Amino acid sequence: MNKFEFFKTDAIQSSYGGQFSYKVIGPCCRLYDREELPWPCSRLAWRSKEPSWRRIGSRFVADMASRKCPSYSVQILEPGSKPVETVITLFSKKFSAEIQEWWYSKKPASKEAGNVYPNCVN
């Protein structure tokens, strides 16, 4: 992405196919829940099959499939039904290296309250 722009909070966007519209709640990172894996499952160390209560590592990890693309928490708006909240990942847009590091950073400085936008966007 040459010029990265966040979707504005409360902006209403339409899907690429035009099938539905959604209201943007805000940007988020898509996490993979390791507890949702079937039992028994392979350990991250790949030594053997073990039950879920003996898994090694964090329960929630960044979803590798969506690390290079922006994800947003959204509310899907369909006429005649209740709004549904979900996470949408825009796989057609790719992050630059700087934006990807900011969005999925493991560095302690990324948790600071003033780290609202990446340096290259400001």
Side-chain angles (χ1 to χ4, degrees):
M1 298 171 70
N2 295 339
K3 174 99 170 83
F4 183 79
E5 293 184 22
F6 286 95
F7 285 163
K8 304 274 188 230
T9 301
D10 293 332
I12 295 180
Q13 304 283 334
S14 62
S15 65
Y16 285 124
Q19 299 294 323
F20 60 91
S21 296
Y22 55 89
K23 180 175 154 184
V24 176
I25 297 170
C28 64
C29 65
R30 187 178 284 264
L31 298 177
Y32 181 73
D33 184 358
R34 292 180 57 227
E35 293 296 319
E36 292 179 355
L37 293 171
W39 180 91
C41 112
S42 297
R43 287 174 44 183
L44 288 183
W46 297 103
R47 290 189 194 136
S48 65
K49 299 271 186 181
E50 292 192 359
S52 61
W53 59 87
R54 293 197 54 203
R55 289 190 184 130
I56 296 172
S58 302
R59 175 179 175 182
F60 295 105
V61 294
D63 188 347
M64 291 179 66
S66 63
R67 276 187 103 138
K68 296 184 178 186
C69 306
S71 295
Y72 290 91
S73 177
V74 299
Q75 192 175 55
I76 296 179
L77 307 173
E78 293 184 38
S81 66
K82 285 191 339 186
V84 177
E85 291 186 9
T86 189
V87 174
I88 290 180
T89 300
L90 305 174
F91 288 105
S92 62
K93 297 184 182 244
K94 300 290 181 199
F95 287 139
S96 65
E98 298 85 27
I99 300 286
Q100 183 180 352
E101 163 57 31
W102 175 82
W103 203 291
Y104 284 102
S105 182
K106 294 181 182 178
K107 297 179 181 175
S110 68
K111 297 178 183 176
E112 293 176 4
N115 189 19
V116 178
Y117 294 105
N119 293 333
C120 57
V121 173
N122 289 337

